[in-house]
PDB file of all heavy atoms in Angstrom:
ATOM      1  N   LEU A 950      87.982  79.073 -22.645  1.00 61.00           N
ATOM      2  CA  LEU A 950      88.212  77.691 -22.930  1.00 61.00           C
ATOM      3  C   LEU A 950      87.422  76.840 -21.997  1.00 61.00           C
ATOM      4  O   LEU A 950      87.824  76.303 -20.928  1.00 61.00           O
ATOM      5  CB  LEU A 950      89.708  77.268 -22.656  1.00 61.00           C
ATOM      6  CG  LEU A 950      90.675  77.985 -23.684  1.00 61.00           C
ATOM      7  CD1 LEU A 950      92.090  77.671 -23.251  1.00 61.00           C
ATOM      8  CD2 LEU A 950      90.535  77.592 -25.059  1.00 61.00           C
ATOM      9  N   PRO A 951      86.122  76.626 -22.314  1.00 64.00           N
ATOM     10  CA  PRO A 951      85.250  75.776 -21.438  1.00 64.00           C
ATOM     11  C   PRO A 951      85.658  74.335 -21.454  1.00 64.00           C
ATOM     12  O   PRO A 951      86.410  73.891 -22.312  1.00 64.00           O
ATOM     13  CB  PRO A 951      83.850  76.015 -22.043  1.00 64.00           C
ATOM     14  CG  PRO A 951      84.182  76.337 -23.472  1.00 64.00           C
ATOM     15  CD  PRO A 951      85.423  77.136 -23.489  1.00 64.00           C
ATOM     16  N   ASP A 952      85.194  73.606 -20.442  1.00 65.00           N
ATOM     17  CA  ASP A 952      85.631  72.196 -20.304  1.00 65.00           C
ATOM     18  C   ASP A 952      84.904  71.372 -21.290  1.00 65.00           C
ATOM     19  O   ASP A 952      83.750  70.995 -21.050  1.00 65.00           O
ATOM     20  CB  ASP A 952      85.388  71.708 -18.899  1.00 65.00           C
ATOM     21  CG  ASP A 952      86.352  72.294 -17.888  1.00 65.00           C
ATOM     22  OD1 ASP A 952      87.440  72.569 -18.311  1.00 65.00           O
ATOM     23  OD2 ASP A 952      86.028  72.489 -16.724  1.00 65.00           O
ATOM     24  N   ILE A 953      85.446  71.140 -22.449  1.00 70.00           N
ATOM     25  CA  ILE A 953      84.822  70.265 -23.463  1.00 70.00           C
ATOM     26  C   ILE A 953      85.712  69.135 -23.663  1.00 70.00           C
ATOM     27  O   ILE A 953      86.964  69.208 -23.880  1.00 70.00           O
ATOM     28  CB  ILE A 953      84.759  71.118 -24.827  1.00 70.00           C
ATOM     29  CG1 ILE A 953      83.844  72.347 -24.619  1.00 70.00           C
ATOM     30  CG2 ILE A 953      84.130  70.241 -25.884  1.00 70.00           C
ATOM     31  CD1 ILE A 953      83.731  73.192 -25.897  1.00 70.00           C
ATOM     32  N   GLU A 954      85.126  67.967 -23.513  1.00 74.00           N
ATOM     33  CA  GLU A 954      85.893  66.714 -23.670  1.00 74.00           C
ATOM     34  C   GLU A 954      85.639  66.104 -25.054  1.00 74.00           C
ATOM     35  O   GLU A 954      84.616  65.585 -25.374  1.00 74.00           O
ATOM     36  CB  GLU A 954      85.467  65.718 -22.587  1.00 74.00           C
ATOM     37  CG  GLU A 954      86.292  64.551 -22.433  1.00 74.00           C
ATOM     38  CD  GLU A 954      85.931  63.660 -21.258  1.00 74.00           C
ATOM     39  OE1 GLU A 954      84.819  63.214 -21.235  1.00 74.00           O
ATOM     40  OE2 GLU A 954      86.835  63.501 -20.323  1.00 74.00           O
ATOM     41  N   PHE A 955      86.699  66.183 -25.853  1.00 81.00           N
ATOM     42  CA  PHE A 955      86.614  65.576 -27.179  1.00 81.00           C
ATOM     43  C   PHE A 955      86.941  64.025 -27.062  1.00 81.00           C
ATOM     44  O   PHE A 955      87.695  63.630 -26.168  1.00 81.00           O
ATOM     45  CB  PHE A 955      87.665  66.180 -28.075  1.00 81.00           C
ATOM     46  CG  PHE A 955      87.331  67.580 -28.513  1.00 81.00           C
ATOM     47  CD1 PHE A 955      87.847  68.678 -27.789  1.00 81.00           C
ATOM     48  CD2 PHE A 955      86.534  67.810 -29.586  1.00 81.00           C
ATOM     49  CE1 PHE A 955      87.534  69.930 -28.166  1.00 81.00           C
ATOM     50  CE2 PHE A 955      86.251  69.135 -30.054  1.00 81.00           C
ATOM     51  CZ  PHE A 955      86.718  70.156 -29.330  1.00 81.00           C
ATOM     52  N   PRO A 956      86.201  63.169 -27.809  1.00 87.00           N
ATOM     53  CA  PRO A 956      86.451  61.767 -27.775  1.00 87.00           C
ATOM     54  C   PRO A 956      87.706  61.333 -28.362  1.00 87.00           C
ATOM     55  O   PRO A 956      87.685  60.518 -29.348  1.00 87.00           O
ATOM     56  CB  PRO A 956      85.135  61.230 -28.450  1.00 87.00           C
ATOM     57  CG  PRO A 956      84.840  62.289 -29.449  1.00 87.00           C
ATOM     58  CD  PRO A 956      85.178  63.618 -28.817  1.00 87.00           C
ATOM     59  N   THR A 957      88.803  61.786 -27.957  1.00 90.00           N
ATOM     60  CA  THR A 957      90.055  61.509 -28.506  1.00 90.00           C
ATOM     61  C   THR A 957      91.093  61.099 -27.416  1.00 90.00           C
ATOM     62  O   THR A 957      91.147  61.792 -26.330  1.00 90.00           O
ATOM     63  CB  THR A 957      90.645  62.732 -29.311  1.00 90.00           C
ATOM     64  OG1 THR A 957      89.703  63.189 -30.194  1.00 90.00           O
ATOM     65  CG2 THR A 957      91.922  62.422 -29.975  1.00 90.00           C
ATOM     66  N   VAL A 958      91.745  60.068 -27.670  1.00 91.00           N
ATOM     67  CA  VAL A 958      92.847  59.484 -26.705  1.00 91.00           C
ATOM     68  C   VAL A 958      94.081  59.252 -27.574  1.00 91.00           C
ATOM     69  O   VAL A 958      94.106  58.785 -28.717  1.00 91.00           O
ATOM     70  CB  VAL A 958      92.359  58.219 -26.081  1.00 91.00           C
ATOM     71  CG1 VAL A 958      93.462  57.632 -25.307  1.00 91.00           C
ATOM     72  CG2 VAL A 958      91.072  58.427 -25.330  1.00 91.00           C
ATOM     73  N   SER A 959      95.240  59.712 -26.961  1.00 91.00           N
ATOM     74  CA  SER A 959      96.522  59.540 -27.608  1.00 91.00           C
ATOM     75  C   SER A 959      97.328  58.401 -26.832  1.00 91.00           C
ATOM     76  O   SER A 959      97.328  58.422 -25.618  1.00 91.00           O
ATOM     77  CB  SER A 959      97.312  60.833 -27.641  1.00 91.00           C
ATOM     78  OG  SER A 959      96.643  61.853 -28.388  1.00 91.00           O
ATOM     79  N   VAL A 960      98.056  57.626 -27.637  1.00 93.00           N
ATOM     80  CA  VAL A 960      98.939  56.644 -27.024  1.00 93.00           C
ATOM     81  C   VAL A 960     100.381  57.004 -27.484  1.00 93.00           C
ATOM     82  O   VAL A 960     100.686  56.983 -28.679  1.00 93.00           O
ATOM     83  CB  VAL A 960      98.515  55.213 -27.592  1.00 93.00           C
ATOM     84  CG1 VAL A 960      99.428  54.199 -26.913  1.00 93.00           C
ATOM     85  CG2 VAL A 960      97.093  54.887 -27.242  1.00 93.00           C
ATOM     86  N   ILE A 961     101.224  57.280 -26.562  1.00 93.00           N
ATOM     87  CA  ILE A 961     102.500  57.740 -26.742  1.00 93.00           C
ATOM     88  C   ILE A 961     103.554  56.715 -26.265  1.00 93.00           C
ATOM     89  O   ILE A 961     103.506  56.337 -25.075  1.00 93.00           O
ATOM     90  CB  ILE A 961     102.776  59.130 -26.093  1.00 93.00           C
ATOM     91  CG1 ILE A 961     101.692  60.176 -26.577  1.00 93.00           C
ATOM     92  CG2 ILE A 961     104.167  59.636 -26.379  1.00 93.00           C
ATOM     93  CD1 ILE A 961     101.785  61.400 -25.828  1.00 93.00           C
ATOM     94  N   THR A 962     104.471  56.339 -27.113  1.00 92.00           N
ATOM     95  CA  THR A 962     105.447  55.379 -26.762  1.00 92.00           C
ATOM     96  C   THR A 962     106.806  55.905 -27.246  1.00 92.00           C
ATOM     97  O   THR A 962     106.908  56.322 -28.371  1.00 92.00           O
ATOM     98  CB  THR A 962     105.273  53.971 -27.425  1.00 92.00           C
ATOM     99  OG1 THR A 962     103.898  53.587 -27.145  1.00 92.00           O
ATOM    100  CG2 THR A 962     106.139  52.954 -26.785  1.00 92.00           C
ATOM    101  N   THR A 963     107.817  55.892 -26.416  1.00 91.00           N
ATOM    102  CA  THR A 963     109.130  56.446 -26.765  1.00 91.00           C
ATOM    103  C   THR A 963     110.117  55.255 -26.828  1.00 91.00           C
ATOM    104  O   THR A 963     110.034  54.237 -26.083  1.00 91.00           O
ATOM    105  CB  THR A 963     109.651  57.452 -25.719  1.00 91.00           C
ATOM    106  OG1 THR A 963     109.734  56.830 -24.441  1.00 91.00           O
ATOM    107  CG2 THR A 963     108.726  58.677 -25.741  1.00 91.00           C
ATOM    108  N   TYR A 964     111.057  55.396 -27.780  1.00 91.00           N
ATOM    109  CA  TYR A 964     112.103  54.314 -27.927  1.00 91.00           C
ATOM    110  C   TYR A 964     113.356  55.113 -28.409  1.00 91.00           C
ATOM    111  O   TYR A 964     113.592  55.337 -29.494  1.00 91.00           O
ATOM    112  CB  TYR A 964     111.687  53.378 -29.040  1.00 91.00           C
ATOM    113  CG  TYR A 964     112.568  52.139 -29.173  1.00 91.00           C
ATOM    114  CD1 TYR A 964     113.626  51.885 -28.256  1.00 91.00           C
ATOM    115  CD2 TYR A 964     112.404  51.208 -30.293  1.00 91.00           C
ATOM    116  CE1 TYR A 964     114.433  50.762 -28.445  1.00 91.00           C
ATOM    117  CE2 TYR A 964     113.182  50.151 -30.419  1.00 91.00           C
ATOM    118  CZ  TYR A 964     114.237  49.894 -29.489  1.00 91.00           C
ATOM    119  OH  TYR A 964     115.067  48.782 -29.641  1.00 91.00           O
ATOM    120  N   THR A 965     114.141  55.536 -27.417  1.00 86.00           N
ATOM    121  CA  THR A 965     115.280  56.415 -27.656  1.00 86.00           C
ATOM    122  C   THR A 965     116.337  55.751 -28.514  1.00 86.00           C
ATOM    123  O   THR A 965     116.712  54.649 -28.283  1.00 86.00           O
ATOM    124  CB  THR A 965     115.923  56.811 -26.274  1.00 86.00           C
ATOM    125  OG1 THR A 965     114.971  57.415 -25.422  1.00 86.00           O
ATOM    126  CG2 THR A 965     117.078  57.806 -26.495  1.00 86.00           C
ATOM    127  N   GLY A 966     116.769  56.538 -29.590  1.00 83.00           N
ATOM    128  CA  GLY A 966     117.725  56.059 -30.410  1.00 83.00           C
ATOM    129  C   GLY A 966     117.325  55.218 -31.619  1.00 83.00           C
ATOM    130  O   GLY A 966     118.146  54.911 -32.485  1.00 83.00           O
ATOM    131  N   ALA A 967     116.051  54.881 -31.651  1.00 87.00           N
ATOM    132  CA  ALA A 967     115.589  54.040 -32.732  1.00 87.00           C
ATOM    133  C   ALA A 967     115.101  54.832 -33.913  1.00 87.00           C
ATOM    134  O   ALA A 967     114.682  55.945 -33.738  1.00 87.00           O
ATOM    135  CB  ALA A 967     114.381  53.079 -32.290  1.00 87.00           C
ATOM    136  N   SER A 968     115.268  54.242 -35.127  1.00 88.00           N
ATOM    137  CA  SER A 968     114.797  54.941 -36.349  1.00 88.00           C
ATOM    138  C   SER A 968     113.284  54.956 -36.468  1.00 88.00           C
ATOM    139  O   SER A 968     112.675  54.075 -35.841  1.00 88.00           O
ATOM    140  CB  SER A 968     115.454  54.363 -37.543  1.00 88.00           C
ATOM    141  OG  SER A 968     115.091  53.077 -37.799  1.00 88.00           O
ATOM    142  N   SER A 969     112.754  55.791 -37.247  1.00 90.00           N
ATOM    143  CA  SER A 969     111.254  55.780 -37.490  1.00 90.00           C
ATOM    144  C   SER A 969     110.796  54.517 -38.163  1.00 90.00           C
ATOM    145  O   SER A 969     109.676  54.071 -37.849  1.00 90.00           O
ATOM    146  CB  SER A 969     110.895  57.061 -38.362  1.00 90.00           C
ATOM    147  OG  SER A 969     111.601  57.026 -39.578  1.00 90.00           O
ATOM    148  N   GLU A 970     111.666  53.957 -39.013  1.00 91.00           N
ATOM    149  CA  GLU A 970     111.282  52.726 -39.662  1.00 91.00           C
ATOM    150  C   GLU A 970     111.109  51.581 -38.643  1.00 91.00           C
ATOM    151  O   GLU A 970     110.122  50.767 -38.649  1.00 91.00           O
ATOM    152  CB  GLU A 970     112.194  52.348 -40.717  1.00 91.00           C
ATOM    153  CG  GLU A 970     112.239  53.251 -41.952  1.00 91.00           C
ATOM    154  CD  GLU A 970     113.076  54.463 -41.770  1.00 91.00           C
ATOM    155  OE1 GLU A 970     113.659  54.638 -40.677  1.00 91.00           O
ATOM    156  OE2 GLU A 970     113.109  55.272 -42.634  1.00 91.00           O
ATOM    157  N   ASP A 971     112.074  51.485 -37.716  1.00 89.00           N
ATOM    158  CA  ASP A 971     112.023  50.354 -36.751  1.00 89.00           C
ATOM    159  C   ASP A 971     110.866  50.594 -35.797  1.00 89.00           C
ATOM    160  O   ASP A 971     110.151  49.549 -35.359  1.00 89.00           O
ATOM    161  CB  ASP A 971     113.381  50.413 -35.974  1.00 89.00           C
ATOM    162  CG  ASP A 971     114.535  49.925 -36.820  1.00 89.00           C
ATOM    163  OD1 ASP A 971     114.317  49.347 -37.830  1.00 89.00           O
ATOM    164  OD2 ASP A 971     115.715  50.307 -36.454  1.00 89.00           O
ATOM    165  N   ILE A 972     110.664  51.841 -35.327  1.00 91.00           N
ATOM    166  CA  ILE A 972     109.526  52.052 -34.444  1.00 91.00           C
ATOM    167  C   ILE A 972     108.177  51.760 -35.184  1.00 91.00           C
ATOM    168  O   ILE A 972     107.289  51.279 -34.495  1.00 91.00           O
ATOM    169  CB  ILE A 972     109.538  53.616 -33.990  1.00 91.00           C
ATOM    170  CG1 ILE A 972     110.769  53.796 -33.153  1.00 91.00           C
ATOM    171  CG2 ILE A 972     108.321  53.888 -33.133  1.00 91.00           C
ATOM    172  CD1 ILE A 972     110.934  55.228 -32.638  1.00 91.00           C
ATOM    173  N   GLU A 973     108.070  52.076 -36.394  1.00 91.00           N
ATOM    174  CA  GLU A 973     106.787  51.823 -37.091  1.00 91.00           C
ATOM    175  C   GLU A 973     106.511  50.264 -37.130  1.00 91.00           C
ATOM    176  O   GLU A 973     105.345  49.874 -36.936  1.00 91.00           O
ATOM    177  CB  GLU A 973     106.826  52.449 -38.534  1.00 91.00           C
ATOM    178  CG  GLU A 973     105.553  52.166 -39.274  1.00 91.00           C
ATOM    179  CD  GLU A 973     105.624  52.763 -40.652  1.00 91.00           C
ATOM    180  OE1 GLU A 973     106.714  53.246 -41.039  1.00 91.00           O
ATOM    181  OE2 GLU A 973     104.600  52.854 -41.328  1.00 91.00           O
ATOM    182  N   SER A 974     107.534  49.544 -37.434  1.00 90.00           N
ATOM    183  CA  SER A 974     107.340  48.124 -37.612  1.00 90.00           C
ATOM    184  C   SER A 974     107.178  47.354 -36.222  1.00 90.00           C
ATOM    185  O   SER A 974     106.396  46.376 -36.209  1.00 90.00           O
ATOM    186  CB  SER A 974     108.485  47.465 -38.313  1.00 90.00           C
ATOM    187  OG  SER A 974     109.734  47.686 -37.683  1.00 90.00           O
ATOM    188  N   THR A 975     107.838  47.792 -35.240  1.00 90.00           N
ATOM    189  CA  THR A 975     107.852  47.092 -33.883  1.00 90.00           C
ATOM    190  C   THR A 975     106.893  47.636 -32.899  1.00 90.00           C
ATOM    191  O   THR A 975     106.458  46.934 -31.982  1.00 90.00           O
ATOM    192  CB  THR A 975     109.268  47.111 -33.314  1.00 90.00           C
ATOM    193  OG1 THR A 975     109.607  48.445 -33.082  1.00 90.00           O
ATOM    194  CG2 THR A 975     110.220  46.418 -34.208  1.00 90.00           C
ATOM    195  N   ILE A 976     106.381  48.915 -33.120  1.00 91.00           N
ATOM    196  CA  ILE A 976     105.585  49.511 -32.048  1.00 91.00           C
ATOM    197  C   ILE A 976     104.237  50.034 -32.726  1.00 91.00           C
ATOM    198  O   ILE A 976     103.190  49.621 -32.267  1.00 91.00           O
ATOM    199  CB  ILE A 976     106.290  50.716 -31.391  1.00 91.00           C
ATOM    200  CG1 ILE A 976     107.523  50.166 -30.608  1.00 91.00           C
ATOM    201  CG2 ILE A 976     105.333  51.428 -30.454  1.00 91.00           C
ATOM    202  CD1 ILE A 976     108.327  51.180 -29.939  1.00 91.00           C
ATOM    203  N   THR A 977     104.384  50.882 -33.682  1.00 92.00           N
ATOM    204  CA  THR A 977     103.188  51.658 -34.235  1.00 92.00           C
ATOM    205  C   THR A 977     102.207  50.630 -34.761  1.00 92.00           C
ATOM    206  O   THR A 977     101.029  50.667 -34.380  1.00 92.00           O
ATOM    207  CB  THR A 977     103.573  52.724 -35.240  1.00 92.00           C
ATOM    208  OG1 THR A 977     104.506  53.565 -34.634  1.00 92.00           O
ATOM    209  CG2 THR A 977     102.353  53.509 -35.676  1.00 92.00           C
ATOM    210  N   ARG A 978     102.600  49.831 -35.717  1.00 92.00           N
ATOM    211  CA  ARG A 978     101.649  48.937 -36.419  1.00 92.00           C
ATOM    212  C   ARG A 978     100.984  47.900 -35.526  1.00 92.00           C
ATOM    213  O   ARG A 978      99.810  47.703 -35.554  1.00 92.00           O
ATOM    214  CB  ARG A 978     102.344  48.297 -37.642  1.00 92.00           C
ATOM    215  CG  ARG A 978     102.603  49.230 -38.781  1.00 92.00           C
ATOM    216  CD  ARG A 978     103.228  48.486 -39.999  1.00 92.00           C
ATOM    217  NE  ARG A 978     103.388  49.432 -41.130  1.00 92.00           N
ATOM    218  CZ  ARG A 978     104.078  49.039 -42.211  1.00 92.00           C
ATOM    219  NH1 ARG A 978     104.464  47.806 -42.351  1.00 92.00           N
ATOM    220  NH2 ARG A 978     104.190  49.946 -43.244  1.00 92.00           N
ATOM    221  N   PRO A 979     101.800  47.249 -34.675  1.00 90.00           N
ATOM    222  CA  PRO A 979     101.174  46.282 -33.717  1.00 90.00           C
ATOM    223  C   PRO A 979     100.148  46.946 -32.753  1.00 90.00           C
ATOM    224  O   PRO A 979      99.048  46.357 -32.579  1.00 90.00           O
ATOM    225  CB  PRO A 979     102.422  45.708 -33.037  1.00 90.00           C
ATOM    226  CG  PRO A 979     103.498  45.832 -33.888  1.00 90.00           C
ATOM    227  CD  PRO A 979     103.320  47.140 -34.620  1.00 90.00           C
ATOM    228  N   LEU A 980     100.542  48.102 -32.255  1.00 91.00           N
ATOM    229  CA  LEU A 980      99.566  48.827 -31.388  1.00 91.00           C
ATOM    230  C   LEU A 980      98.310  49.226 -32.206  1.00 91.00           C
ATOM    231  O   LEU A 980      97.212  49.205 -31.572  1.00 91.00           O
ATOM    232  CB  LEU A 980     100.274  49.969 -30.725  1.00 91.00           C
ATOM    233  CG  LEU A 980     101.306  49.782 -29.720  1.00 91.00           C
ATOM    234  CD1 LEU A 980     101.818  50.948 -29.107  1.00 91.00           C
ATOM    235  CD2 LEU A 980     100.722  48.868 -28.571  1.00 91.00           C
ATOM    236  N   GLU A 981      98.502  49.658 -33.386  1.00 91.00           N
ATOM    237  CA  GLU A 981      97.300  50.055 -34.245  1.00 91.00           C
ATOM    238  C   GLU A 981      96.355  48.897 -34.382  1.00 91.00           C
ATOM    239  O   GLU A 981      95.178  49.023 -34.263  1.00 91.00           O
ATOM    240  CB  GLU A 981      97.688  50.563 -35.550  1.00 91.00           C
ATOM    241  CG  GLU A 981      98.251  52.017 -35.571  1.00 91.00           C
ATOM    242  CD  GLU A 981      98.520  52.510 -37.035  1.00 91.00           C
ATOM    243  OE1 GLU A 981      98.878  51.566 -37.825  1.00 91.00           O
ATOM    244  OE2 GLU A 981      98.646  53.712 -37.202  1.00 91.00           O
ATOM    245  N   GLN A 982      96.834  47.694 -34.653  1.00 90.00           N
ATOM    246  CA  GLN A 982      96.025  46.467 -34.841  1.00 90.00           C
ATOM    247  C   GLN A 982      95.298  46.175 -33.567  1.00 90.00           C
ATOM    248  O   GLN A 982      94.146  45.711 -33.614  1.00 90.00           O
ATOM    249  CB  GLN A 982      96.903  45.393 -35.274  1.00 90.00           C
ATOM    250  CG  GLN A 982      97.570  45.533 -36.669  1.00 90.00           C
ATOM    251  CD  GLN A 982      98.540  44.445 -36.964  1.00 90.00           C
ATOM    252  OE1 GLN A 982      98.811  43.600 -36.210  1.00 90.00           O
ATOM    253  NE2 GLN A 982      99.124  44.488 -38.233  1.00 90.00           N
ATOM    254  N   ILE A 983      95.957  46.311 -32.400  1.00 90.00           N
ATOM    255  CA  ILE A 983      95.321  46.007 -31.214  1.00 90.00           C
ATOM    256  C   ILE A 983      94.199  47.075 -30.868  1.00 90.00           C
ATOM    257  O   ILE A 983      93.107  46.698 -30.475  1.00 90.00           O
ATOM    258  CB  ILE A 983      96.384  45.957 -29.992  1.00 90.00           C
ATOM    259  CG1 ILE A 983      97.228  44.803 -30.215  1.00 90.00           C
ATOM    260  CG2 ILE A 983      95.655  45.944 -28.648  1.00 90.00           C
ATOM    261  CD1 ILE A 983      98.388  44.761 -29.252  1.00 90.00           C
ATOM    262  N   ILE A 984      94.495  48.367 -31.087  1.00 90.00           N
ATOM    263  CA  ILE A 984      93.583  49.407 -30.800  1.00 90.00           C
ATOM    264  C   ILE A 984      92.303  49.329 -31.655  1.00 90.00           C
ATOM    265  O   ILE A 984      91.237  49.552 -31.233  1.00 90.00           O
ATOM    266  CB  ILE A 984      94.190  50.788 -30.897  1.00 90.00           C
ATOM    267  CG1 ILE A 984      95.301  50.930 -29.789  1.00 90.00           C
ATOM    268  CG2 ILE A 984      93.235  51.894 -30.866  1.00 90.00           C
ATOM    269  CD1 ILE A 984      96.192  52.181 -30.014  1.00 90.00           C
ATOM    270  N   ASN A 985      92.454  48.937 -32.903  1.00 90.00           N
ATOM    271  CA  ASN A 985      91.345  48.804 -33.750  1.00 90.00           C
ATOM    272  C   ASN A 985      90.317  47.772 -33.351  1.00 90.00           C
ATOM    273  O   ASN A 985      89.187  47.725 -33.830  1.00 90.00           O
ATOM    274  CB  ASN A 985      91.793  48.407 -35.244  1.00 90.00           C
ATOM    275  CG  ASN A 985      92.248  49.675 -35.996  1.00 90.00           C
ATOM    276  OD1 ASN A 985      91.666  50.703 -35.874  1.00 90.00           O
ATOM    277  ND2 ASN A 985      93.380  49.490 -36.728  1.00 90.00           N
ATOM    278  N   THR A 986      90.666  46.825 -32.463  1.00 88.00           N
ATOM    279  CA  THR A 986      89.678  45.856 -31.986  1.00 88.00           C
ATOM    280  C   THR A 986      88.805  46.430 -30.908  1.00 88.00           C
ATOM    281  O   THR A 986      87.863  45.703 -30.461  1.00 88.00           O
ATOM    282  CB  THR A 986      90.472  44.613 -31.419  1.00 88.00           C
ATOM    283  OG1 THR A 986      91.330  45.011 -30.313  1.00 88.00           O
ATOM    284  CG2 THR A 986      91.322  44.059 -32.571  1.00 88.00           C
ATOM    285  N   ILE A 987      89.096  47.621 -30.342  1.00 89.00           N
ATOM    286  CA  ILE A 987      88.297  48.167 -29.258  1.00 89.00           C
ATOM    287  C   ILE A 987      86.992  48.723 -29.803  1.00 89.00           C
ATOM    288  O   ILE A 987      86.913  49.328 -30.915  1.00 89.00           O
ATOM    289  CB  ILE A 987      89.028  49.275 -28.563  1.00 89.00           C
ATOM    290  CG1 ILE A 987      90.383  48.626 -27.906  1.00 89.00           C
ATOM    291  CG2 ILE A 987      88.249  49.914 -27.474  1.00 89.00           C
ATOM    292  CD1 ILE A 987      91.338  49.716 -27.336  1.00 89.00           C
TER     293      ILE A 987
END
């Protein structure tokens, strides 16, 4: 396993107890819009 750096970055956010629908509307979509501007 040589040291190969893939141009990939992950953004992980946890929100314990919240449903997937709530997380998508309050966290995932807003962060996607911000990241797309980079």
Side-chain angles (χ1 to χ4, degrees):
L950 295 173
D952 289 333
I953 300 177
E954 191 174 59
F955 289 92
T957 304
V958 176
S959 297
V960 182
I961 304 172
T962 310
T963 59
Y964 188 10
T965 305
S968 65
S969 57
E970 292 83 359
D971 293 338
I972 294 179
E973 182 179 8
S974 60
T975 60
I976 297 178
T977 304
R978 287 183 179 176
L980 289 181
E981 280 182 339
Q982 295 174 357
I983 293 177
I984 292 172
N985 277 321
T986 62
I987 300 175

